[in-house]
Amino acid sequence: MEPQFRLFPEQASVEAQRVDVLYLFQLGVGVFFTALICLVIFYFAIKYRRGAKVDRSNPPKKNIPLEVVWTVIPLALTMVMFGWGARLFFDSQRPPLGADEIYVVGKQWMWKVQHPEGKSEINELHIPVGRPVKLKLISEDVIHSFYVPEFRVKTDVLPGRYSTIWLNPTKTGRFHLFCAEYCGTDHSKMIGHVYVMEPAEYSKWLAGTIDQPPHVAGELLFERFRCNTCHRDTPDARCPSLRGLFGRQVALADGSNVIADEKYLRESIVNPNSKIVQGYKPLMPTYQGQLNEQGILQIIAYIQSLEQTQEPPAPAATEDRQPPTETND
């Protein structure tokens, strides 16, 4: 990072240059039309100055070609900027296949980060240079905003909803991390740094971890809350098997279908009666308030790690079963 003043933040990611080109295009269009309007105002101010011998009757006139021009050109420029910006936005929301996934939880007033290898950080994010990294973000309390100016990435981090962005840094170094959404008294202190490292250095840094990987911690939570007493791979299980569930289509009791992604699994943990799996009763209690967002992410990581096996048949909906504790429906 260079200490001197910069008009624009340093470009340190693949997306940064694309965002800057669009911004400069929009800036150029704005400057051009501002200058054009100023020149026209200046011209009319001189032409119709006091005492000038010009026709001031202002008779009504129609100039269809001129009206078409000043309608079509701004519309065309606006649609170009809209399409260009939409393309950048959608690209920022769709990480490439194989990107490393890192969990980020925003909380008043800190960023809690956990790597798939188990390494945990607070207000710091270490990533390798030249390798795409997918961030899965959620808030523990209020709305936050994850913003790294040098990467040109910014996304709202919302309570109860997962957000996804991805980074592909092109330079090593230390870069600023901000919360760009006012989130309370100490909002200004919710800052941190992103450290971009060479791949070998990053691997060495990860090797020093003593924390459990998310899926391992999730398995321990799964057993601690006795979820395995109902979510079993047996025909008499009270709740559906979770093995091979992630990413699969699930048939619901109301006749609809849903994809078992992070959103569905989280909702099943905090509000299990919202979507009942076909063939099962609404037996599962809510775990809202018992599990924080980091714990929910760890349980989801554990479910995601379960391999596919043949699923046992669903029990009949008329069976009378008593509800023990579990974490999904």
Side-chain angles (χ1 to χ4, degrees):
M1 300 290 293
E2 297 172 339
Q4 67 266 26
F5 172 78
R6 284 179 173 273
L7 186 60
F8 294 101
E10 181 181 4
Q11 292 180 350
S13 73
V14 172
E15 292 297 301
Q17 184 175 6
R18 298 177 62 194
V19 172
D20 284 356
V21 171
L22 173 59
Y23 175 76
L24 291 173
F25 174 77
Q26 293 175 324
L27 183 63
V29 170
V31 169
F32 172 79
F33 281 102
T34 299
L36 180 62
I37 292 170
C38 288
L39 287 174
V40 172
I41 292 174
F42 186 69
Y43 168 74
F44 284 135
I46 294 177
K47 181 176 180 180
Y48 293 100
R49 68 189 184 279
R50 180 181 297 179
K53 295 181 179 181
V54 291
D55 182 10
R56 301 178 187 275
S57 61
N58 192 26
K61 294 181 180 179
K62 287 187 178 180
N63 191 329
I64 300 300
L66 179 61
E67 292 182 4
V68 170
V69 167
W70 73 36
T71 301
V72 171
I73 290 180
L75 176 62
L77 287 171
T78 302
M79 295 308 298
V80 166
M81 289 184 282
F82 171 78
W84 195 345
R87 175 65 182 272
L88 288 178
F89 173 77
F90 287 122
D91 286 348
S92 70
Q93 303 300 307
R94 294 183 293 207
L97 295 176
D100 298 336
E101 185 170 89
I102 298 175
Y103 299 133
V104 179
V105 177
K107 181 180 180 180
Q108 292 175 317
W109 290 270
M110 68 179 71
W111 298 106
K112 299 166 67 177
V113 178
Q114 186 167 32
H115 296 256
E117 295 80 4
K119 191 84 169 183
S120 297
E121 308 180 78
I122 294 180
N123 292 335
E124 291 184 352
L125 171 62
H126 289 73
I127 54 177
V129 67
R131 200 162 82 198
V133 174
K134 172 184 174 182
L135 303 182
K136 183 72 66 176
L137 309 105
I138 195 168
S139 170
E140 190 80 53
D141 36 48
V142 299
I143 299 177
H144 301 284
S145 183
F146 187 91
Y147 178 41
V148 185
E150 290 85 358
F151 294 169
R152 310 297 192 270
V153 295
K154 177 180 176 292
T155 187
D156 286 342
V157 183
L158 308 174
R161 175 178 163 184
Y162 292 115
S163 303
T164 301
I165 57 172
W166 66 282
L167 317 171
N168 192 352
T170 57
K171 295 181 180 179
T172 59
R174 187 182 74 167
F175 306 98
H176 293 290
L177 166 61
F178 298 101
C179 175
E181 183 79 26
Y182 180 73
C183 56
T185 307
D186 289 334
H187 161 71
S188 62
K189 298 179 182 179
M190 193 169 174
I191 56 178
H193 292 94
V194 177
Y195 294 88
V196 181
M197 313 166 74
E198 293 293 343
E201 185 182 1
Y202 176 71
S203 298
K204 183 178 179 181
W205 177 81
L206 279 179
T209 182
I210 58 174
D211 301 313
Q212 294 172 328
H215 69 278
V216 174
E219 183 177 8
L220 294 177
L221 287 173
F222 194 80
E223 295 173 355
R224 173 186 166 191
F225 285 93
R226 304 297 299 275
C227 310
N228 52 358
T229 60
C230 289
H231 291 284
R232 301 196 306 263
D233 299 329
T234 58
D236 63 340
R238 294 181 175 89
C239 297
S241 170
L242 302 179
R243 194 169 294 278
L245 173 67
F246 190 83
R248 201 178 66 199
Q249 194 173 66
V250 178
L252 303 179
D254 61 3
S256 62
N257 294 283
V258 66
I259 299 296
D261 55 8
E262 292 96 343
K263 177 183 176 182
Y264 167 77
L265 294 176
R266 183 189 181 279
E267 186 178 28
S268 297
I269 294 171
V270 300
N271 188 16
N273 291 332
S274 62
K275 292 182 176 67
I276 306 301
V277 177
Q278 191 176 74
Y280 293 88
K281 287 187 174 184
L283 305 177
M284 179 174 165
T286 178
Y287 286 87
Q288 188 167 16
Q290 300 182 58
L291 285 167
N292 59 21
E293 292 297 344
Q294 187 173 13
I296 293 174
L297 280 168
Q298 289 170 344
I299 289 179
I300 292 174
Y302 168 64
I303 296 172
Q304 190 173 357
S305 70
L306 296 175
E307 297 179 355
Q308 175 73 50
T309 60
Q310 185 176 359
E311 186 176 0
T318 57
E319 291 183 8
D320 185 19
R321 301 180 183 275
Q322 297 301 318
T325 305
E326 64 257 358
T327 61
N328 202 348
D329 62 355

